[in-house]
Amino acid sequence: MGHPQKQPLHASAQVSPSSEVFHIQDVSKTYHMGEVEVRALQQVTLNLYEGEFVVLLGPSGSGKSTLLNILGGLDLPSSGQVWFRNRNLATATDAMLTRFRRESVGFIFQFYNLIPSLTARENVALVTEIAAHPFSPEEALQRVGLGDRLDHFPAQLSGGEQQRVAIARAIAKRPEVLLCDEPTGALDVQTGKLVLDALAQTNRDLGTTTAVITHNASIAAMADRVISMRSGQIASIHVNETKVSPAELEW
Amino acid sequence: MKALDRKLWRDLLHLRGQVIAIILIVACGITGLVTLMSAYDSLKLSQATYYSQYRFADVFVSLKRAPEAIALQLAEISGVSQLQTRVVVDVTLDIPDRHEPATGRIISIPEQPQPMLNDLFLREGRYIEAGRRDEVLISEAFANANHLTLGDRVGAVINGRWQTLQIVGLALSPEYVYEIRGTDLVPDNQRFGVIWMGREALAAAFDMQGAFNDLTLSLTPHANAPEVLFQLDQSLERYGGLGAYDRDQQLSHRFLTDEIDQLQVTAVFLPSIFLGIAAFLLNIVLSRIISTQRDQIAVLKAFGYSNSAVGLHYFKLVLGVTLLGAAIGTGLGLWFGSSITQYYTNFFQFPILRYEAGAGLILTTLGVSLGAALLGAFTAVRRAIALPPAEAMRPEAPPQFRPTLIERWGLQRLFPASGRIILRNLERKPIQALLSVLGIALAIAILMVGRYMGDAVLYIIDVQFRQVQREDVTLVFNEPRPARARYALNHLPGVLQAEPFRSVAARLRYEHRTHRTGLMGLEPQGELRHLVDRQLRPVQLPPSGVLLTATLGRMLGVEPGDRLTVEVLEGDRSIHQVEVMGLVDEFIGVAAYMDIQALNQLMREGQTISGAYLAVDRHALDHLYEQVKNTPAIASMAMRQTTIDQFEDTIAASLGIFTGVLVIFACVIAFGVVYNAARIALSERGRELATLRIIGFSRGEIALILLGEQALLTLVAIPVGLAIGLGLAALLASTYDSELYRLPFVVNRATYLFAAGVVLIATVLSGWLIRRQLNQLDLIAVLKTRE
C-alpha cells in the first residue's frame, strides 16, 4: 500500500503538530434519502494532525456531518481517498471499519445517543467492554465530573449531564481521535460551556485529536484550526493564533 | 452481565405486554408439541414393548371346529413362526350386584403357565391351577369396572348351564389393549370382559376336546403375510374358517394404532400454527424495536460493535422470548402429557403405561423453538445488520404512501379522512395486514375445529343411536335358531316388540378387493333398525340384492348395480353373486344389509334368525335381565342406552377438555395478534396521533383511527377464519374416515357464532387495553421527543 503524494495544505502546515492523523483526498459523497438525491460532499481534500483541536463550521446541509461520518468510518465516500495513518478507509471492508472504530475513534453526538435502558456507568461499560486498554467506566465518568451519578439512567440526567456521559463513553477507550457532531447543539450556554470544557480538557490531557462540528461560530475561538464548509465544499481554513478557553466564549 | 445484555433485559421488560403475549403463544405451541409428542412416544413405546415382550400374534383366525392334529400341518406353512390353537367362546355372565347381564369372552389357556402368543401379564393373584376347572383369570379392566377382586365368583352360562367361576388372577393381554367388542367405539368394561380359563375345562364344556375354534400365529421376519393368510384360509375352509386376518384388521391393534397415528399428525399440525404465528409476531415486534432503536444501533456500530454483535444482540431478544415460552410450554406440556397418558389408561390396558419424555423430545422442542425464533428474527435482524451506521443516525425516511386502490377507483368520497388513513396504512403494509388476518383467522379456525368435534359426535349419536338403531336391546343367540324363536322373545318380560335378524359371516369380494364382514338380514318393514342415506332419508331394503354402507362400498370399490361375490363362511360355505342395490350411511363400523328372507334363501335354509332387536318397557328391564341371564341360548345382550351413555361419558368428557384447551389457545392467539399489532401501531404512530389530538381530534376519533385498522382486520379475518375452519373440519372428517368409524362433516350454526364471538371478544379486550394506553398519550412529550 503506497502512501499517496501529499500536497501541503494552505497555511495549516505551520501549526506545530508532529504528524498527520487523517489525510483525505478528493472525497465526494452522494446519498439517497427516500426519493431525494443529496450531494453532501464534493471533491473535499483535507488533513488533520495529531493532537490538534479542529472546529468544522458551517450551516446545516453544508456537509460537515457527512465529512465527520466518513472520517469516523461510519460511512464510505462515493469517490476519493480517506487515509487514517496508513490505512485507506475508503476501500476498507465493513469488518476493518468496525475494528477502526472500535480501536481508534470516540464519537459524541448532538442528541447524546445514550442507550436509554442503561445507566451512565453501563453506557460507558458498553464501550470499555470491547476496548483494549480502556479507563474504567468510573474513571471515565470522574473525568467528566460525573463520579457521583454513576447509576443514573439517561432520563434522570440533565442534557448537559447526558452529554458528559457521552463524552465519558467516547474517551473511555482512550481513542486517537474524538469526533463530535454538534455536541452543544441541544444545550444552553452554561451547560454547553461545561461540555466544551470537558472536551478541551481531554484534548489537552490525553492529546486526542479532536474534531468538533458546529454551526455556532463563537465556538471556533477555542480551536487550533477552524474549517468552514459550505455546500459540500471547504470554503476556508483559519488558524487561531491564540486559543480562548471555553469559559471565555460568548454566544 | 454485560452492558449489552442489560439493555436486552430492560428492553424486554419495557415491552412486557407484547413480550408476554408472544411468550404465551410460543408456550401454547410448545405445550401442544410436548403434550402430544410425549403422549405419542409413551403410547408408541408402550405398544412396541408390550407387543414384543408378550408376543402379540401377527395373524388371527376363528373357525367352527378343527381337530388339534391339523395344527401341526398349519405350522408347516412357510412363514409361520409360532402357532397357538385356542378355544374362544362368548358367554353371558352374571356379575354379583349387577342386574344387567354382561358378556364374557372366554379364551382358553394352557393348564400350566408357559410362554405363549398373546401372553398374559398377571397383575394380581396367580395362574390357574391344573385340575381346578372353575378357576379363571379375568381382565383387569373388567374386574375394576365391576369391583371384582380375587376370590370373587361370577356366574357364566357355559354350554347351556350356569356355572360359577372363581377369580384367581387379574390379567392383561396384548390382544385386548383396547378391550372392546363388535362395533362399539369405546370400551364398555362393565359389560364386556375377557376371561381366561383352562383349556381342558373350556374344551370339555363346549365339546372341543382335541379340537380348537380359534388360532393365532406369529410370522417369521420375512414371511409373505398375504400368502400365509391365503393358505390358512384354504386349509381351514372345511373346518368352518371365518377368514384369517392380520394385525391391521385386529380391533384392539387398529384402535391403538389409529390413536397413535393421530397423535403424531396433531403433534405436527397444531404447534406449527402457533409457532408460525409466534414467528410472525416476533418479526413485527422486532422490526419495530429495530426501527425505533436506529440511533442506538448506530451508536453501537460507531463505537465498534460488529454487525454480528449487533445482530446477535437482537436475535438474543427473540431467543429470550422464544426460550422462555418454550420453557413454560415444556413444563406445561410435560404435565399435560403425563395427565393425557394417564387418561389413556381409561381406554388402553397396558401392564405399564410409562410416561416417556426423553432428551430427544427436549431437543426437538429446542430445535423447533429455535427455528421459530430464527424465522421470526431473520428479516428484522438482517435489517439491523444492514443498517449503515451513518444512515442509522439520520431519522428514518418518511414511509411512502400512495392513494389506495379504492381512491384510484375514485371511491374516496365514501370515506372520511380517518377511513382513508386506515386504508392507506393497510395498503402500505399489505403483507403484515395479510399475516394479521391469517393469524386471527387461524384462531377462529382452531375454535371451529374444537367445536366441530363436538358437533360431529352429537350428530353421530343422533343419527346412529336415534335414527338408525332404534332398538332398546339387541339379543344375540349362541347359534342360529328357527324363526319361531321370535315368539318366545315376545314373551320375555317387558318386551313390546321383537324384530329378528339373521347375521351370517361372509367374505365380500369385488375384483381383487375383499372384506370380511357379517351379512345382516333384516325385516324389510322393521321399525327398530332404519337404514338411511347421507341426507338421512330412509332407504327401503330391496327384496333381493344387498345394501352396503358407503364406507364398505368405497373399500370394495363398488357402485350400485355392480355384482359382488359373496363367500359365505358358515354352513355349506356357498359362493354367490349378489347385486349391490344401493348404499346406506352409517358412522360406526361397516355393514352389508339384505332382506332376511333373501338371506335365508341365499343360505338355503328355512326361516332362521341369529338374534333380535327389542323394544322394551323400561320399568320391566330388571325382569328382562333376570330372564336373559337364565336363558342359555342368549349369548349376548347389548343395551342401546348404555352404549349412548358410555359414548357420551367418555367422548364428550374428553371433547370438553379438548375444546376448553383450544378455546384458551385461540384466545391467546387472537389476543396476541390484535394486541401486538395495535400496540406497535401506537408506538409507530404516537406522534401522528398526538398531532391529530392537538389539532382537535377527540380521543374517540384517534382511537378509531388506530383501532379501526385492527377492527377492520378482524372483520376481514372472520369469514376467512370460518372458511379455514370449515376446511379443517372437512380435512378432519376425511382423516377420521376409517372402517371403524367416521366423523360426519357437520358444523352447527352455533359453532360459527361461537368461533367468531370468542375472537371478537378477544379483539375488543385487546382494543380496550390499547385504548387505555391511548388515553394516557402525553401530547407535548410525544411531540418533543425525536423519533
Side-chain angles (χ1 to χ4, degrees), chain B residues 34-49:
Chain B
V34 172
T35 304
L36 298 166
M37 283 303 286
S38 63
Y40 168 80
D41 287 347
S42 305
L43 275 186
K44 182 106 181 153
L45 190 77
S46 300
Q47 182 193 37
T49 323

Side-chain angles (χ1 to χ4, degrees), chain A residues 8-95:
Chain A
L9 259 174
H10 308 270
S12 61
Q14 52 186 272
V15 177
S16 57
S18 39
S19 65
E20 301 172 357
V21 179
F22 281 105
H23 168 70
I24 71 172
Q25 181 84 42
D26 299 328
V27 163
S28 297
K29 175 70 183 179
T30 308
Y31 60 85
H32 300 270
M33 192 83 188
E35 290 174 2
V36 188
E37 188 177 276
V38 182
R39 296 166 61 83
L41 287 181
Q42 298 174 46
Q43 299 285 318
V44 172
T45 297
L46 177 70
N47 283 351
L48 293 182
Y49 300 98
E50 205 163 284
E52 72 170 336
F53 194 113
V54 174
V55 167
L56 284 160
L57 208 56
S60 60
S62 61
K64 342 181 265 301
S65 291
T66 308
L67 180 59
L68 202 75
N69 288 343
I70 289 173
L71 289 175
L74 289 179
D75 212 348
L76 290 173
S78 306
S79 65
Q81 295 186 326
V82 182
W83 291 92
F84 171 76
R85 307 257 186 230
N86 53 1
R87 278 188 263 180
N88 189 352
L89 301 180
T91 57
T93 62
D94 193 70

Side-chain angles (χ1 to χ4, degrees), chain B residues 34 37-39 41-42 330 333-334 337-338 354-362:
Chain B
V34 172
M37 283 303 286
S38 63
D41 287 347
S42 305
T330 306
L334 290 176
S338 75
R354 198 188 6 236
Y355 182 56
E356 267 303 309
L361 178 62
I362 303 298

